[in-house]
Amino acid sequence: MSDLASAQLLQASAAQLPVYTYFDPAYYAQEQRLLFGDAPIYYGHELMTPNAGDYQTLDWMGHGKMLKNVDGRIKLISNVCRHRQAIIYKGRGNGNHIVCNLHGWTYDAEGALLGAPHFPETPCLKLNQTELTRWNGLLFDARRDVARDLENLGVAKHMRFDGYAYHSSHLSEYDFNWKTFIEVYSEDYHVDPFHPGLGNFVDCGDLKWEWGAQYHVQTVGVKNKLATSGSRVYGKWHEEVRRRYADQQPEFGAIWLTYYPNIMVEWYPHVLVVSVVMPRGPEQCTVLTEFYYPEDVVWFEPEFIEAEQAAYFETAKEDDEICYRMHEGRRALWLRGESEVGPYQSPTEEGMQHFHEFYRGKMGAALAG
């Protein structure tokens, strides 16, 4: 390799993060303030509560808040009773009123207290609400203008949920830093050698990047018209996709959007997936994964959903191994007081580099080295 090429690789590697950023508790506290202080918080999609009166509690928040459909308007309302701070509901349901059955305190659909049994006067209390902003039906808190962040997104038309229905949510707990998850999600270098199933579904040789100040997008093609599957699980997924597309094939194998710092929206044939990785500490994180499918698939094609989710979680399990091995290697360096970085492979790791550069810009002087 020429000296010039070596210098370019080293310069690019400088965007990578020092090892202490994955382990140091004091740095983690700064990260929460500087990076997540104005980061968008995702709460769910309007499709979770499609009908008037519907509610769904958010289990990743300990059920402390609920999405509530109030005459077609989705509200985010506290799910903690104002009397003795008990959780009111868990899961999904429907009702015009919100009723805590511990003592019978009853609120209207928007959380205003209507009745408190055996009190001479009803206390003037209500369940607090969080102001929301929307993008393609996705619900966020209003601290950022999400629509403005994503207004130039070229793949936005593929991220629309028209004609789709919510199916299910899954929570996964991990003992590694949240950034490791985003890094693995943001690169295609590992797909062919480490994902036999996914690597024979998508064609990472047909990779296109899209860049924005707050995001990056990976679009990959379909591998060999889905002629060969790389695993038994993916074989069933290939069959279901070919069945629905008949004599045609999907326009893409996958589209992966990362909305910084920690929100992902994924498009697959007749599937939309929303994921969020939530920091719980320097070496802990929670991943929320939501699945959405066309309404007819949700109602009439459980075999399609079963095949898709089996393939999805086969790949997720392989990604988990990558994350843990990266975490263990970095922890070994951290414990012996060392830090190492390596070059980015271009073009497959350009998304990781873009994320690192965004991250450094947000952390500023707090990030030494």
Side-chain angles (χ1 to χ4, degrees), residues 42-82:
Y42 171 73
Y43 288 106
H45 196 282
E46 292 175 334
L47 293 174
M48 290 179 166
T49 53
N51 304 307
D54 284 352
Y55 67 82
Q56 174 149 333
T57 65
L58 304 181
D59 56 351
W60 61 271
M61 301 188 74
H63 302 280
K65 293 186 179 183
M66 72 173 86
L67 294 174
K68 177 78 170 155
N69 186 318
V70 183
D71 297 325
R73 297 169 295 126
I74 310 302
K75 305 280 189 177
L76 181 64
I77 301 175
S78 175
N79 189 38
V80 178
C81 183
R82 292 299 306 271

Side-chain angles (χ1 to χ4, degrees), residues 1 30 55 84 94 181:
M1 181 180 293
Q30 289 183 303
Y55 67 82
R84 288 293 173 261
N94 182 281
F181 190 94

Side-chain angles (χ1 to χ4, degrees), residues 66-321:
M66 72 173 86
L67 294 174
K68 177 78 170 155
N69 186 318
V70 183
D71 297 325
R73 297 169 295 126
I74 310 302
K75 305 280 189 177
L76 181 64
I77 301 175
S78 175
N79 189 38
V80 178
C81 183
R82 292 299 306 271
H83 180 227
R84 288 293 173 261
Q85 299 77 54
I87 291 293
I88 300 173
Y89 298 134
K90 288 187 178 180
R92 307 179 76 186
N94 182 281
N96 293 326
H97 295 143
I98 300 169
V99 181
C100 179
N101 63 5
L102 294 190
H103 301 99
W105 279 41
T106 301
Y107 307 82
D108 70 13
E110 299 202 39
L113 184 63
L114 297 175
H118 307 299
F119 276 74
E121 294 183 0
T122 299
C124 187
L125 295 171
K126 64 179 180 179
L127 303 174
N128 292 327
Q129 291 191 29
T130 302
E131 184 180 357
L132 294 172
T133 188
R134 293 157 172 78
W135 180 79
N136 283 7
L138 301 171
L139 303 169
F140 304 85
D141 73 324
R143 74 177 75 188
R144 287 196 65 84
D145 187 342
V146 176
R148 183 174 181 180
D149 284 346
L150 301 175
E151 64 182 349
N152 295 318
L153 184 67
V155 299
K157 65 180 180 180
H158 300 291
M159 300 297 180
R160 299 192 64 83
F161 290 74
D162 301 2
Y164 274 63
Y166 167 73
H167 180 265
S168 58
S169 298
H170 301 262
L171 285 177
S172 302
E173 303 292 339
Y174 295 110
D175 292 323
F176 52 72
N177 186 275
W178 70 274
K179 295 187 290 296
T180 304
F181 190 94
I182 293 293
E183 289 167 341
V184 173
Y185 185 83
S186 298
E187 57 97 346
D188 298 80
Y189 194 28
H190 73 275
V191 172
D192 285 339
F194 209 79
H195 292 314
L198 180 63
N200 280 279
F201 187 87
V202 302
D203 182 3
C204 291
D206 180 15
L207 167 64
K208 298 179 179 65
W209 289 102
E210 181 184 342
W211 312 107
Q214 292 284 141
Y215 63 85
H216 73 252
V217 181
Q218 308 159 73
T219 300
V220 289
V222 178
K223 190 71 162 283
N224 194 27
K225 298 183 179 181
L226 302 181
T228 304
S229 63
S231 73
R232 180 186 58 81
V233 168
Y234 262 87
K236 293 183 178 180
W237 173 226
H238 283 217
E239 291 175 7
E240 289 297 324
V241 173
R242 287 197 301 263
R243 179 181 60 80
R244 282 193 64 88
Y245 278 83
D247 296 331
Q248 301 178 348
Q249 72 170 14
E251 185 178 359
F252 312 107
I255 303 172
W256 297 310
L257 162 67
T258 307
Y259 178 31
Y260 299 151
N262 63 331
I263 298 167
M264 295 144 283
V265 185
E266 308 172 57
W267 179 98
Y268 302 98
H270 297 298
V271 188
L272 284 164
V273 183
V274 182
S275 302
V276 184
V277 55
M278 295 169 280
R280 300 300 193 194
E283 299 181 62
Q284 291 82 35
C285 63
T286 300
V287 176
L288 167 69
T289 307
E290 298 170 352
F291 290 93
Y292 300 82
Y293 302 91
E295 291 177 344
D296 60 326
V297 171
V298 171
W299 294 338
F300 305 117
E301 300 188 39
E303 65 281 357
F304 182 94
I305 295 173
E306 181 181 359
E308 187 277 329
Q309 291 195 10
Y312 186 94
F313 284 113
E314 177 179 272
T315 297
K317 185 176 180 180
E318 293 162 355
D319 281 336
D320 294 349
E321 180 180 347

Side-chain angles (χ1 to χ4, degrees), residues 322-337:
I322 298 173
C323 288
Y324 274 110
R325 287 170 62 177
M326 289 170 61
H327 174 78
E328 290 163 0
R330 287 168 171 166
R331 198 168 199 282
L333 292 172
W334 164 249
L335 290 174
R336 65 184 192 233

